[in-house]
Amino acid sequence: MIRKISRSMAALVALLFVGACVTVNIYFPAAEVSKTADQIVEDVYAAPEGENAAPQGVPPSSSLARMLASLVSPAVAHAQQETTVSNAAIRGLKDQIAQNHQQLVPFYNSGNVGIAADGSLALRNNDGLSVQQVASVQRIIAADNAARRNLYAEVAKALNTTETGRVQAVFARTWRDKAQSGWWIQEDNGAWRQK
């Protein structure tokens, strides 16, 4: 009987030890990510039309060059709140997204382009667009979505977290929350609605 109790106790202690070893509290800097998302999305949405904007439907030919230049040039000191994150790569990606945004504003306004539940952009419909415009808008959307994925990875890296998916989720909510009235956003359940 004592052997049975001691085996049971040993098994219980082993289970508790394994459970304690497996329980890992991974820190996710939610406040910093949220503050960074707020600042970046506000900057992108507030970029004045015409500044850095290429003609409608034409991708900027020098956006890659500007992004590369921002990566190798000395960092400009920016007054930031303590909880925002920025570096040359993040600023370059933000600028690229802002340029894409300016080209896409007419398509947001017409309802052709919407902000998906995951924060990416989507061509909702091609009503009123020529075949060339559809192709051009799709190229801009693809470039913008790639820049957004890279931005989330850079923000995660700057905050020393590997949880890029959680960073993207925070940004997705922010892109949709700060979208202008009249733009189309996709709800978490997949339904599209005009804001």
Side-chain angles (χ1 to χ4, degrees):
M1 178 75 166
I2 292 178
R3 258 188 162 158
K4 195 174 191 180
I5 292 174
S6 84
R7 280 189 205 159
S8 295
M9 277 301 259
L12 180 62
V13 169
L15 283 173
L16 289 174
F17 181 75
V18 169
C21 291
V22 172
T23 303
V24 177
N25 187 8
I26 298 175
Y27 171 72
F28 180 72
E32 292 89 346
V33 173
S34 181
K35 191 62 141 174
T36 300
D38 284 344
Q39 186 62 54
I40 288 173
V41 171
E42 286 174 8
D43 288 352
V44 167
Y45 284 166
E49 287 188 41
E51 182 179 302
N52 297 329
Q56 180 176 334
V58 179
S61 58
S62 62
S63 65
L64 179 60
R66 282 189 204 124
M67 185 176 83
L68 290 174
S70 71
L71 292 174
V72 295
S73 65
V76 177
H78 292 283
Q80 297 181 23
Q81 294 180 3
E82 274 182 39
T83 56
T84 60
V85 175
S86 185
N87 61 34
I90 291 171
R91 287 189 300 274
L93 290 163
K94 180 183 76 170
D95 290 346
Q96 182 181 356
I97 293 167
Q99 289 174 355
N100 294 334
H101 172 74
Q102 291 307 313
Q103 294 177 78
L104 292 170
V105 166
F107 304 104
Y108 290 128
N109 292 339
S110 66
N112 298 113
V113 174
I115 304 164
D118 66 356
S120 65
L121 300 181
L123 183 65
R124 290 186 55 254
N125 64 59
N126 57 6
D127 297 345
L129 301 179
S130 69
V131 173
Q132 292 84 8
Q133 284 177 312
V134 170
S136 179
V137 169
Q138 287 176 326
R139 278 193 300 276
I140 297 167
I141 288 172
D144 196 79
N145 287 338
R148 288 175 188 225
R149 285 189 300 276
N150 290 336
L151 175 68
Y152 307 147
E154 286 295 330
V155 168
K157 187 166 103 178
L159 291 171
N160 296 316
T161 182
T162 58
E163 297 192 54
T164 306
R166 287 182 69 183
V167 171
Q168 179 176 351
V170 171
F171 269 87
R173 188 173 42 256
T174 307
W175 288 118
R176 293 181 298 166
D177 289 349
K178 294 186 180 293
Q180 287 184 11
S181 179
W183 291 358
W184 286 83
I185 60 172
Q186 187 180 39
E187 299 291 345
D188 291 334
N189 65 7
W192 286 93
R193 74 168 175 89
Q194 195 169 17
K195 191 165 178 200

